[in-house]
Amino acid sequence: MGKRDTKGAKAKRAERRGQGSVKTQEKTERAQGKKEKRDANKRDDEELEKILREFQQMHSADTSVREEVVPPPSPRCNGSLTSHPTREELIFFGGEHFDGKHNRFFAELFRYSVKRNEWRKVVSGRGP
């Protein structure tokens, strides 16, 4: 003999069936919230990467060093002149010039090639 379904049992089953769809909806909402958070984090990461690339490009422009052929440095005193240890060059840095009214200080770096009789100024975007 089979069990008889009572009205109470039927009502409980119907109630549980309704709760299942509610739980499914809650799970779907939580999954959607997690997906939105992941997407937001991904957008933030992409923006951060973009900012870092821009900063790196600006920084590489600042740290580039080049040399220019120039005429001899202007007259000055108290500069530092030394010979290069392995090449036939002189290295000259700094100095100052007083014209009677104003004192000018220099933070320039020059290389003088003895073989070529040529002055080169070392130029960088940012100094130390």
Side-chain angles (χ1 to χ4, degrees):
M1 284 179 85
K3 292 186 178 179
R4 282 185 19 201
D5 279 340
T6 61
K7 288 183 183 179
K10 286 181 180 180
K12 282 184 181 179
R13 262 197 312 270
E15 186 179 320
R16 278 185 263 149
R17 286 185 186 131
Q19 288 177 353
S21 66
V22 170
K23 285 183 180 179
T24 304
Q25 185 178 359
E26 289 173 356
K27 284 183 179 180
T28 305
E29 289 173 1
R30 277 185 283 186
Q32 184 67 25
K34 288 180 181 179
K35 185 176 187 276
E36 289 173 1
K37 283 183 182 179
R38 282 193 302 266
D39 291 345
N41 286 340
K42 190 174 182 180
R43 283 191 304 270
D44 289 346
D45 289 345
E46 289 171 357
E47 289 176 14
L48 181 61
E49 289 296 325
K50 180 182 175 186
I51 291 170
L52 288 174
R53 279 193 303 274
E54 290 173 2
F55 181 74
Q56 188 176 21
Q57 288 173 349
M58 289 184 334
H59 184 66
S60 66
D62 285 349
T63 59
S64 63
V65 177
R66 65 186 189 283
E67 291 186 5
E68 302 171 349
V69 177
V70 294
S74 61
R76 55 186 80 180
C77 63
N78 298 328
S80 177
L81 182 68
T82 186
S83 62
H84 194 283
T86 58
R87 299 180 185 163
E88 290 187 26
E89 291 183 343
L90 296 174
I91 300 171
F92 180 68
F93 177 78
E96 60 183 88
H97 177 70
F98 182 67
D99 63 2
K101 291 184 179 179
H102 299 93
N103 204 4
R104 293 181 54 202
F105 297 93
F106 299 97
E108 300 169 322
L109 179 64
F110 293 94
R111 290 178 34 202
Y112 177 70
S113 174
V114 177
K115 286 182 179 179
R116 295 187 208 133
N117 191 26
E118 170 182 87
W119 285 93
R120 291 181 170 267
K121 183 177 180 181
V122 179
V123 180
S124 67
R126 262 178 23 188

